[in-house]
Structure formats: C-alpha cells, structure tokens
C-alpha cells in the first residue's frame, strides 16, 4: 500500500496519470479521475492571504484604504473550512465571511455566509446585512463534461460589499446626496450556471447563463452565452 500526499493544488478536474515501479522491476500505470471546486483542499492543506491597499475606482473622489485576510484549511477528505475579514479605514466598512466546502458522491458543494456593516460619514447613520450563497461543481470524466459552477446567492437589503459602501459614502460626502442609498442597485438574488463539454479534436463547447434581480425593483438582468473554441495548428 502507498499514498501520494504531495500533489499540488489542482484546477477544475481531469485525469492524474499514475506510474508504479514495483519492487521486482515491473512497471504499470493507471489513471485516477478527479474533480475540484474552489475552496476545497486536501486534509491538512491550508491556504491564506493578507492584503493591504487602496480601493481602485476612478469614479471615487476619496478612495478608502483597506485590509483583508482569508484562511482556508482542509479538515478531512470531504470537508474544508474557510473564513475571512475585511475592514476599511475611518470605520466606514467591516465585513466577514465564513463557510465550508464539501465533496459528495454527486458533486462538490460550498455554502457560505457573509455579513457587512457600513458607517456613513457626516452622521448619516449606518446599515448592516448578510449574504448567503451556495455553489455546486461536478466533473464527469467518462464524457469529458464539466458542470463547472452552479451558484445561488441571496443578499438582504442592507448588505453591501466594500466597493458599494465606498460609492455610497462618496456620494454623501462629496456630492450632497441625502439619506441612505441601500435601494440604489442592491442585488437581491443571483443565480448563474456554467457547462463545458469537450468535443475531442473538434474543440470544446461552453454554455453560461445568469439571472440577477434587485431590491430596488429595477429590471431583472438575464444573460446567456454560448461559445465554441478549437485549436488550429499552433
């Protein structure tokens, strides 16, 4: 018996080609199909990031500085946990996320929940909210089909990311806007799906679609995209 425990992180999925040299000199090889989903790590593996910078947005008069940290760890063969924090200067924005990724016989799933709090300048009050999301990933090696991502996210009316918070606060401080702006384009539901199919020498086919609706009652945004790609010579 043996275990290969030093494999690097992998992308969508595919086949691992394993070659075995037996003690008596015999050689044999076999393929091990695999599928991966974002945030899913092997047991004992971990990944972290730390960021400090300034929000890049040419439409802002005053761009806030911020810090961000994330941590992920593979707990066992089927479960990975992750968490993250984000904060800006001036107490404008605070955000946190916690979630997990799990592999199942029918594919890999990754649920998570985020929370945010925005404190507006000039004593214009504050708002807070949450966003829940779930993603699904499935690779079918026998047909070279990759059900790359099916994602659903629901956000409460008071939820905002750092970019939204900075835009709202900039309007209040520099452009004379009154009141809170949580109705101006806050997303309520988002659903997206992506499917890719290998056609062998004929290339590959991809299909994506998404649907967004908003708290403000603005028109629902729905889009579809069909693509084909192939290689010609080099």
């Amino acid at each position: 018996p043996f275990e290969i425990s030093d494999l690097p992180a992998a992308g969508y999925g595919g086949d691992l080609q394993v070659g075995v040299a037996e003690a008596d000199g015999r050689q044999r090889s076999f393929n091990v199909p695999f599928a991966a989903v974002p945030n899913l790590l092997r047991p004992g593996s971990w990944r972290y990031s730390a960021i400090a910078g300034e929000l890049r947005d040419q439409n802002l008069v005053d761009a806030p500085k911020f810090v961000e940290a994330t941590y992920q760890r593979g707990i066992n063969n089927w479960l990975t946990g992750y968490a993250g924090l984000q904060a800006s200067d001036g107490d404008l924005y605070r955000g946190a996320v916690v979630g997990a990724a799990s592999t199942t016989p029918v594919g890999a799933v990754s649920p998570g929940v985020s929370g945010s709090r925005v404190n507006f300048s000039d004593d214009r009050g504050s708002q807070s909210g949450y966003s829940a999301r779930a993603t699904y990933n499935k690779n079918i090696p026998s047909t070279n089909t990759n059900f790359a991502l099916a994602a659903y996210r629901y956000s409460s009316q008071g939820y905002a990311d750092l970019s939204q918070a900075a835009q709202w606060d900039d309007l209040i401080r520099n452009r004379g806007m009154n009141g809170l702006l949580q109705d101006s384009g806050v997303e309520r539901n988002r659903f997206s799906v992506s499917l890719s199919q290998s056609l062998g020498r004929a290339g590959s086919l991809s299909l994506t679609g998404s649907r967004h609706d908003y708290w403000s009652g603005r028109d629902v945004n729905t889009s579809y995209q069909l693509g084909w790609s192939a290689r010609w010579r080099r």
Side-chain angles (χ1 to χ4, degrees), residues 20-35:
V20 181
E22 304 287 1
D24 59 3
R26 289 180 300 163
Q27 302 282 336
R28 63 188 181 94
S29 62
F30 55 91
N31 291 338
V32 178
F34 74 93

Side-chain angles (χ1 to χ4, degrees), residues 11 13 16 23-24 26 50 54 62 65 74 88 138 166 169 175 185 191 196 208-210 226 231:
L16 296 176
D24 59 3
R26 289 180 300 163
E54 183 178 85
D62 298 309
K65 295 179 174 58
S88 70
K138 175 67 175 178
D169 198 60
R175 310 181 190 224
F191 177 76
S196 64
T208 61
S210 66
L226 178 66
R231 180 175 178 175

